[in-house]
Amino acid sequence: MQQYLALCQRIVDEGVWVENKRTGKRCLSVINADLEYHVGANQFPLVTTRKSYWKAAIAELLGYLRGYDNAAQFRAIGCNTWNANANQNEVWLASPHRKGEDDMGRVYGVQGRSWKKPDGGEVDQLRKIVDNLAKGIDDRGEILSFYNPGEFDLGCLRPCMHTHTFSLLGDTLYLTSSQRSCDVPLGQNFNQVQVFTLLALMAQITGHKAGKAYHKIVNAHIYEDQLALMRDVQLTREPFAPAQLHINPKIKSLQDLETWVTLDDFAVTGYQHHQPIAYPFSV
C-alpha cells in the first residue's frame, strides 16, 4: 500500500502535463515505476485508502485467461470494465472489424490463447507456459504477451498490461508483469490485484510455491479530472494493514480455470478500507 501511495504522491509532485489524444484529456504523468508484491507471504496489495472492488478485477483476469472477446462474457462472470470500450469507443464503433454490440475484437486474452501464425494456425501461449512450468521447465521464455501491433486495428483497445514473464527458481515461481500505460487512480487498483492473483493461481496450478511478483509501469498518470480527488482526498487518508487473498485449493489445472471456477472460489479476509471514491473513467 505504501508503494502505491508513494507513486500517487510522486505523480502529484513531479508529474508533467501531457495531452492524451484518445481521451481528449490532459494527464499528469511520470515515467517508470516499479512495484513488488509479496505473493508467497500473502500480502494482498488491495488499496485501503478507498474501497477496492477486487472481485471485478479477478473476474476480468479470469476472462483474460479464458480468451474472452466479448463484453457480455465479462459481465456474465462479474466484470463490467469492458462495456465502455466495446460500445462507446468511437474509433472502434466505426471499424469494419467490429462484429456488433459488446464485441471487443482481438484484445488481451484472445492474443494470449490464440495468437495467429502466418500459416493460419494459432499459438496458445498460456497452455505452453502452464505445461512447461508443471514439468519444472523454465526455458527463459515463459512469456504471455498480449501485445500484437499487427492486429491493433482488430480490437477496441491496445493492451495496457501487455506482458507477463514467469520465472522458476527451484520450486518457487516468480512473475514480472510489464505495463506500458496506467491510469493510477483507477487502473492501478485493478492491475496490482491481477498481478498478485495471476502469480498465486499459476503457482497453484503448476505445483510450485509463489515468490514475488514484480510490476513494471512505463507511463503512470493521473487524469486532470481525477487530480483533486487524489490529492485532496485519497492522499490525506491513512492506509490500513494489508488484507489476505484465499483461493480455493481445489483449483488444480488450467482446465479448472477455463470451466468451473467462479468468484465464489476467491475470498479476502482482513480488508479494512476507507469510503469509496468515484474517480472519472476515460474511454
Side-chain angles (χ1 to χ4, degrees):
M1 189 63 219
Q2 291 294 347
Q3 57 187 340
Y4 170 79
L5 293 175
L7 174 57
C8 294
Q9 190 66 58
R10 179 186 160 207
I11 297 172
V12 171
D13 294 341
E14 304 174 13
V16 175
W17 286 110
V18 176
E19 296 284 346
N20 184 263
K21 182 179 179 180
R22 179 177 64 86
T23 63
K25 299 179 182 180
R26 292 199 308 166
C27 299
L28 199 58
S29 308
V30 299
I31 301 301
N32 192 54
D34 292 287
L35 301 98
E36 294 184 8
Y37 312 128
H38 295 263
V39 182
N42 202 359
Q43 296 178 6
F44 194 38
L46 200 53
V47 171
T48 62
T49 48
R50 71 176 179 91
K51 186 177 182 179
S52 176
Y53 299 95
W54 61 270
K55 287 186 177 181
I58 292 179
E60 184 177 60
L61 176 62
L62 285 176
Y64 292 164
L65 297 180
R66 292 171 177 172
Y68 285 175
D69 65 356
N70 191 284
Q73 292 174 297
F74 281 91
R75 288 198 299 275
I77 60 172
C79 175
N80 289 296
T81 57
W82 282 96
N83 295 340
N85 281 311
N87 298 306
Q88 297 176 27
N89 182 326
E90 293 298 331
V91 174
W92 181 236
L93 291 178
S95 171
H97 303 293
R98 186 172 182 264
K99 298 174 183 177
E101 184 177 2
D102 286 328
D103 180 44
M104 295 159 45
R106 291 187 55 78
V107 297
Y108 282 90
V110 177
Q111 300 293 348
R113 300 307 307 270
S114 58
W115 185 285
K116 295 292 187 182
K117 297 170 61 178
D119 63 5
E122 296 182 347
V123 176
D124 187 340
Q125 301 179 67
L126 183 59
R127 169 58 67 186
K128 175 263 185 184
I129 295 167
V130 170
D131 287 348
N132 272 5
L133 294 177
K135 298 171 185 174
I137 297 171
D138 175 4
D139 66 5
R140 301 181 186 176
E142 308 303 344
I143 299 171
L144 179 63
S145 177
F146 303 144
Y147 205 78
N148 187 348
E151 294 193 345
F152 284 165
D153 62 329
L154 303 183
C156 64
L157 185 70
R158 289 181 300 164
C160 296
M161 178 86 73
H162 57 81
T163 303
H164 300 284
T165 303
F166 295 91
S167 303
L168 191 60
L169 293 180
D171 63 349
T172 302
L173 186 64
Y174 298 84
L175 172 62
T176 303
S177 296
S178 302
Q179 186 166 357
R180 65 173 180 85
S181 173
C182 184
D183 174 342
V184 172
L186 284 177
Q188 175 73 10
N189 188 48
F190 259 50
N191 298 144
Q192 57 193 39
V193 166
Q194 292 171 337
V195 171
F196 184 101
T197 306
L198 178 58
L199 177 55
L201 281 172
M202 290 290 282
Q204 182 165 312
I205 69 173
T206 61
H208 299 291
K209 295 189 299 185
K212 289 184 179 181
Y214 303 96
H215 186 182
K216 163 76 77 174
I217 302 171
V218 177
N219 186 305
H221 50 266
I222 298 172
Y223 281 99
E224 189 169 18
D225 56 6
Q226 299 170 331
L227 181 59
L229 287 170
M230 174 59 73
R231 181 190 59 221
D232 303 332
V233 181
Q234 189 163 1
L235 282 173
T236 66
R237 297 173 172 178
E238 287 294 321
F240 295 106
Q244 290 193 318
L245 175 68
H246 305 280
I247 299 174
N248 186 346
K250 294 182 180 179
I251 301 173
K252 298 292 187 181
S253 68
L254 180 55
Q255 184 179 19
D256 291 343
L257 292 174
E258 294 169 333
T259 54
W260 58 264
V261 173
T262 70
L263 290 180
D264 291 338
D265 295 295
F266 302 86
V268 169
T269 58
Y271 183 38
Q272 291 180 278
H273 57 81
H274 291 268
Q275 290 297 309
I277 299 175
Y279 283 110
F281 174 71
S282 298
V283 179

